[in-house]
Amino acid sequence: MNKIYSIKVAGAAGQGIKSTGAKLAKFVSGHGLNVYNYHEYPSLIRGGHNTVQTMFSLDPVNSPIQKLDVLVAFNQESIDLHLSELNPEGILIYDEKMEAPKIESGIKIFPAPLSEIEKGFEAIKKIVVDNLLNNLDMSRDNNKIVITGAEAIGSAAIAAGLQFSAIYPMSPISGILDHIAKYQEKYGYLYKQPEDEIAAINMCIGASFAGARAMTATSGGGFCLMTEGYGLAGITETPIVIILGMRPGPATGLPTWNEQGDLQFVLNAHQGDFPRIVLAAGDSEEAFNLTLIAFNLAERYTCPVVVLVDKNICEHEQSFKPFEYAKYQIETPNRRLPGTGIHFVANSDEHDDEGFSTESAQIRVTQMKKRMDKLEVCAKNDMPSPQLVGPALADLTIVSWGSCKGAILDAMQSFPNVNFLHLTWFSPFPAQAVGEILAKAKNILAIEQNYSGQMTRLIREKTGIEIKNKLLKYDGRMFYREEIEEAINVSLRAAAKQSL
Amino acid sequence: MTANDLNTKIFPNWCPGCGNFGIWAAFKNAAVAQNWDNTNTVIVAGIGCHSHIINFVNLTAFEGLHGRALPVATGIKLANHKLNVFVFTGDGDCLGEGGNHFIHACRRNINLTILLHDNAVYGLTTGQTSPTSPCSYTSRSTPGGNIDSPLNPIALAIASGATFVARAYSTDIKSLSQILIDANNHDGLAVVDIMQPCVTFNKDYTHNFFQTSSYQLGEDYDPTNKIKALEKSFEWAGDNSKIPLGIIYKENRPSYESQLPQLKNGPLVSVPATKRDISSLFRV
């Protein structure tokens, strides 16, 4: 295993922390290294404490680790808060305008002109290369892209033939909006800033009704407002893609932090029953692929398709091989469109085939069945088997979803006897396949970033299997690789003890 | 095409004497005169007594949610701006549930025509006070009399940036038809506040009240003066005053969609969605 390097850049919001971290990621990726950037920041524009932690290695790296090789401190607070995370032989870079820190240990200390962004970055780079990376071959070619999930999703929508988008700004999906708004003239689609999320989803429904491929995005709070439009798309059978970037709730919650607390909400939101396709990505590459698929599924089944991502995916840069979409083909609309000379009504009231309102019991039943059958057809024709990563037979099977994937994959490097069931389809749900995998598992550990184990509850509902061994985190912070390693060790020890 | 060609298999189920019949007739007459048909026109409705009109006019329609007709119509217009898009909405739909959408539609100046069925009462829910109900109005929701001040849709539309604002009376079918034609021909957001009686639940705003308390604006009235139009919008029935009918405000300002470079070569949907090469977007 190759070393994972870890550099934390810390300071006040507005000091250039985020851009320094992004530059570092591009720099190391430019030398052929794999990189993952972890951002922590409060919901403020200036002031408040910001950090970016850059992990990089010759091996794949998908999550943060707890220890630092380098701490770049833009202010004294950063030293006070993070010095304990620095390895004993680590490097501390501080702003030369600060008083030189007095540290009695093996830590190497360097001043740098951090208040000047460009000059500061060059100084950081030189210190890091000379003192940390001196044994690393830096002549490797770069064949990687460095991308956030927001950019991946926005790019996927553009590739998928997006024609109309209305997105109200909200963390953590504002990056999707920024990306889509920026390229609208270049690619000829339209982004409209709406007055609220209710308008966002209704504008997209209107545009889709008129024949445009339409997408909106929001976080949980905005999705509360979209809930009525969600069902409207269902009953009017209007294709629409909704990206939901999760953050901790309820209400305003922790606006700039991470959670996976909206799964049950998205699966159950809105009154009554209607078909909804719900997919969830574990990283930016999956977010890219699922966004592409979502547009086609929406068109094929004329219903809303939600792609769940979370703050970690939306905002963290990671290096990937350039995403592959050569085989992607656009599903052409096979539905009635306005302005084509035919009469029809898209109706939020129950309706007959032409769309006229009706309260006929017989038509109601026919229409409900017609709509709800879509999920069964989708499950049969489009839903892939869930991925089981690692050996087919293992001492422990981890089940998880969303951005927990990264830390789990990284932790599994130390455990050849552990496998991982990563779920990406939630409606329809691959109940049979999940049930079979879990029935065979010797021991199970469910990992989620929410309080109540929302995926675990769904697994029980769909398969009857109750998973008692759960690692649940809901403090807004990302899973570190070490936390997962510890949970695996605890699970394996408990299993060994039980089998004695 | 005749007005009868625009009828559907369903005959309107509004109460006998409802103002909606006049709006229905006036709209069909305007459609015949202007050749609004399924090749060029879409109607959008919210929810309320007004929204049943989608069942009674043989034009492609979207009946959305209560208060949400305007964002749906905005999406339709931006996706296919060659379509005539008419928004049927009510005083509760447009000014209560959908008030936020109304002010933003006005300021955007998208080329939509709003037909605001304004009977100052919630009819479909059997008679509660609406945003345009007068003070002291008694209803099931205000048995002791309404204390809220009524909204003035004309003043609100002008202040919010609408560029064509008119008031009509539902039973004057001929005038209403002409105003609807003018409103649709206007390049920008057009609001037509249509005073209509609710014969079942509003005993104050009756046919007789509207007929005796309103007057048509004359040739001498200049609708292009915004301040004068705002003053005019506050005229209402009183001892020495009546309710003005006609075009109260008109302004030439570029419509939203006329300013979008993406729409210069035709509607967004005139070109089928195509897969795009995004390799230049990946940061290496």
Side-chain angles (χ1 to χ4, degrees):
Chain A
M1 265 191 345
N2 283 296
K3 177 178 166 60
I4 297 169
Y5 297 91
S6 165
I7 299 176
K8 183 174 272 186
V9 181
Q15 283 190 310
I17 308 304
K18 205 176 166 183
S19 62
T20 304
K23 277 183 196 162
L24 261 177
K26 278 172 89 170
F27 168 66
V28 293
S29 172
H31 291 283
L33 294 153
N34 298 299
V35 63
Y36 187 93
N37 256 9
Y38 174 34
H39 296 256
E40 286 191 348
Y41 64 101
S43 187
L44 288 169
I45 299 305
R46 286 193 78 85
H49 187 66
N50 278 23
T51 68
V52 183
Q53 193 183 344
T54 304
M55 270 63 56
F56 55 96
S57 174
L58 287 165
D59 287 337
V61 54
N62 305 287
S63 62
I65 56 173
Q66 287 166 336
K67 282 291 176 185
L68 307 175
D69 297 306
V70 181
L71 172 62
V72 182
F74 277 62
N75 58 15
Q76 183 59 43
E77 188 187 19
S78 302
I79 298 175
D80 299 342
L81 284 170
H82 305 297
L83 191 65
S84 62
E85 298 162 21
L86 200 54
N87 284 322
E89 306 288 308
I91 296 164
L92 171 64
I93 303 172
Y94 67 99
D95 186 4
E96 62 187 16
K97 287 186 181 153
M98 288 160 56
E99 199 179 316
K102 292 180 188 66
I103 294 157
E104 294 169 22
S105 69
I107 290 170
K108 293 179 221 158
I109 302 173
F110 298 91
L114 299 182
S115 50
E116 295 167 70
I117 302 271
E118 290 301 327
K119 230 171 126 185
F121 179 70
E122 290 305 315
I124 295 167
K125 208 163 76 178
K126 187 165 185 340
I127 296 164
V128 168
V129 169
D130 292 350
N131 296 281
L132 182 68
L133 309 181
N134 37 4
N135 293 325
L136 203 63
D137 173 13
M138 297 295 278
S139 66
R140 296 160 64 93
D141 280 342
N142 177 33
N143 57 355
K144 299 271 172 66
I145 56 171
V146 177
I147 197 164
T148 65
E151 291 162 338
I153 290 164
S155 300
I158 296 168
L162 178 78
Q163 289 167 301
F164 181 84
S165 182
I167 301 171
Y168 191 82
M170 187 172 190
S171 293
I173 56 78
S174 299
I176 301 174
L177 177 172
D178 298 347
H179 192 76
I180 285 179
K182 187 172 170 184
Y183 297 110
Q184 54 183 326
E185 284 183 47
K186 178 181 165 90
Y187 289 102
Y189 58 83
L190 187 60
Y191 165 75
K192 175 75 201 94
Q193 181 163 335
E195 56 270 28
D196 55 30
E197 287 88 349
I198 300 172
I201 192 166
N202 280 282
M203 283 180 184
C204 287
I205 289 170
S208 176
F209 163 78
R213 265 161 106 83
M215 180 180 98
T216 186
T218 188
S219 188
F223 192 71
C224 288
L225 297 188
M226 288 191 183
T227 299
E228 57 171 32
Y230 191 33
L232 176 68
I235 196 169
T236 58
E237 304 192 57
T238 310
I240 176 178
V241 174
I242 305 165
I243 308 294
L244 202 165
M246 296 177 286
R247 69 190 215 190
T252 312
L254 295 168
T256 58
W257 299 82
N258 195 64
E259 197 158 283
Q260 299 159 344
D262 300 346
L263 176 63
Q264 291 285 353
F265 178 36
V266 165
L267 290 171
N268 296 291
H270 201 93
Q271 71 275 24
D273 290 309
F274 65 94
R276 63 191 87 191
I277 296 173
V278 179
L279 314 173
D283 57 33
S284 295
E285 187 169 23
E286 270 180 12
F288 181 85
N289 290 326
L290 292 178
T291 302
L292 287 177
I293 294 167
F295 275 93
N296 278 352
L297 291 174
E299 196 61 63
R300 196 171 304 156
Y301 298 104
T302 54
C303 72
V305 180
V306 178
V307 180
L308 281 163
V309 283
D310 52 45
K311 179 259 179 177
N312 296 340
I313 298 170
C314 287
E315 297 191 349
H316 296 172
E317 292 96 351
Q318 190 174 357
S319 59
F320 294 91
K321 282 186 191 148
F323 300 145
E324 190 51 58
Y325 60 103
K327 287 187 189 146
Y328 184 72
Q329 285 185 331
I330 285 182
E331 181 98 4
T332 32
N334 179 26
R335 54 191 169 100
R336 297 172 291 192
L337 297 175
T340 55
I342 49 164
H343 173 259
F344 69 101
V345 181
N347 199 333
S348 71
D349 276 301
E350 192 55 275
H351 45 267
D352 63 17
D353 282 337
E354 194 168 347
F356 287 120
S357 307
T358 177
E359 293 177 3
S360 149
Q362 190 201 339
I363 294 175
R364 163 70 174 175
V365 171
T366 308
Q367 291 289 339
M368 280 297 289
K369 281 187 174 162
K370 172 194 157 199
R371 291 192 294 263
M372 295 309 291
D373 277 353
K374 295 173 183 179
L375 281 183
E376 280 175 40
V377 179
C378 177
K380 213 171 96 191
N381 295 347
D382 295 288
M383 184 170 64
S385 291
Q387 306 166 46
L388 186 66
V389 185
L393 288 174
D395 293 330
L396 179 70
T397 298
I398 295 173
V399 199
S400 187
W401 66 290
S403 67
C404 304
K405 179 187 177 185
I408 295 169
L409 289 178
D410 286 350
M412 281 171 70
Q413 299 297 315
S414 320
F415 298 93
N417 54 339
V418 171
N419 62 13
F420 167 34
L421 179 62
H422 174 60
L423 298 178
T424 54
W425 279 64
F426 287 94
S427 174
F429 186 74
Q432 197 183 340
V434 169
E436 283 168 9
I437 290 167
L438 294 183
K440 275 190 240 158
K442 284 198 213 164
N443 298 286
I444 306 172
L445 167 63
I447 300 179
E448 298 187 61
Q449 276 206 273
N450 59 57
Y451 179 85
S452 65
Q454 298 194 8
M455 171 203 69
T456 313
R457 283 157 53 201
L458 183 74
I459 290 173
R460 189 179 184 189
E461 178 195 326
K462 299 288 184 183
T463 68
I465 296 170
E466 185 181 6
I467 304 169
K468 290 195 171 141
N469 185 25
K470 294 190 283 273
L471 174 62
L472 302 175
K473 183 170 180 170
Y474 45 90
D475 62 2
R477 275 68 182 167
M478 196 171 181
F479 271 120
Y480 287 86
R481 174 194 195 120
E482 294 92 334
E483 288 174 87
I484 306 289
E485 288 171 345
E486 173 64 15
I488 292 172
N489 275 324
V490 168
S491 297
L492 289 173
R493 278 202 300 269
K497 205 169 161 188
Q498 234 174 21
S499 64
L500 278 177
Chain B
M1 186 165 68
T2 69
N4 281 342
D5 297 329
L6 285 169
N7 291 341
T8 67
K9 63 183 181 185
I10 307 171
F11 188 78
N13 50 7
W14 293 308
C15 304
C18 175
N20 284 333
F21 282 101
I23 300 172
W24 181 53
F27 179 72
K28 286 192 295 178
N29 289 348
V32 170
Q34 298 288 301
N35 292 313
W36 299 335
D37 61 25
N38 284 314
T39 67
N40 58 31
T41 299
V42 169
I43 64 177
V44 183
I47 292 294
C49 289
H50 75 271
S51 70
H52 296 318
I53 201 165
I54 56 111
N55 291 310
F56 317 139
V57 179
N58 195 32
L59 289 174
T60 294
F62 193 108
E63 188 198 47
L65 297 165
H66 188 48
R68 316 301 176 210
L70 275 168
V72 169
T74 300
I76 295 171
K77 189 73 184 181
L78 292 179
N80 189 349
H81 65 274
K82 294 286 182 213
L83 294 171
N84 303 301
V85 182
F86 294 93
V87 180
F88 293 85
T89 180
D91 41 313
D93 191 70
C94 187
L95 304 171
E97 196 91 1
N100 195 31
H101 308 309
F102 181 67
I103 57 174
H104 290 279
C106 288
R107 81 185 173 91
R108 277 183 198 125
N109 201 33
I110 288 184
N111 193 357
L112 306 170
T113 299
I114 300 174
L115 291 83
L116 206 175
H117 295 228
D118 189 355
N119 59 6
V121 70
Y122 284 83
L124 198 56
T125 49
T126 66
Q128 294 82 19
T129 288
S130 98
T132 54
S133 302
C135 286
S136 309
Y137 178 70
T138 56
S139 74
R140 292 188 185 200
S141 62
T142 52
N146 178 30
I147 321 174
D148 290 344
S149 283
L151 266 177
N152 179 333
I154 302 282
L156 180 62
I158 297 170
S160 303
T163 51
F164 182 105
V165 185
R167 185 190 280 122
Y169 163 48
S170 62
T171 308
D172 185 352
I173 292 170
K174 201 174 161 207
S175 302
L176 176 55
S177 274
Q178 190 53 53
I179 281 185
L180 293 178
I181 291 168
D182 293 345
N184 186 59
N185 288 339
H186 173 74
D187 187 25
L189 189 95
V191 180
V192 185
D193 181 33
I194 308 169
M195 299 190 307
Q196 63 164 112
C198 174
V199 293
T200 307
F201 294 112
N202 192 334
K203 304 300 181 193
D204 294 2
Y205 291 167
T206 60
H207 281 288
N208 186 51
F209 168 80
F210 289 129
Q211 282 163 16
T212 55
S213 311
S214 65
Y215 73 100
Q216 286 287 344
L217 287 166
E219 300 260 315
D220 56 332
Y221 175 72
D222 173 16
T224 62
N225 184 321
K226 197 166 195 166
I227 298 303
K228 287 270 188 297
L230 272 170
E231 281 174 10
K232 188 58 76 181
S233 73
F234 285 98
E235 287 183 10
W236 192 252
D239 293 337
N240 300 309
S241 59
K242 286 187 170 185
I243 307 166
L245 300 176
I247 300 167
I248 294 173
Y249 182 61
K250 198 169 179 327
E251 174 190 340
N252 288 323
R253 178 152 60 87
S255 66
Y256 184 87
E257 60 272 26
S258 72
Q259 301 176 65
L260 293 168
Q262 299 97 307
L263 304 186
K264 285 279 184 278
N265 296 325
L268 280 182
V269 295
S270 60
V271 181
T274 44
K275 186 173 139 183
R276 302 191 184 99
D277 179 2
I278 50 159
S279 44
S280 69
L281 301 186
F282 293 143
R283 289 191 281 171
V284 177

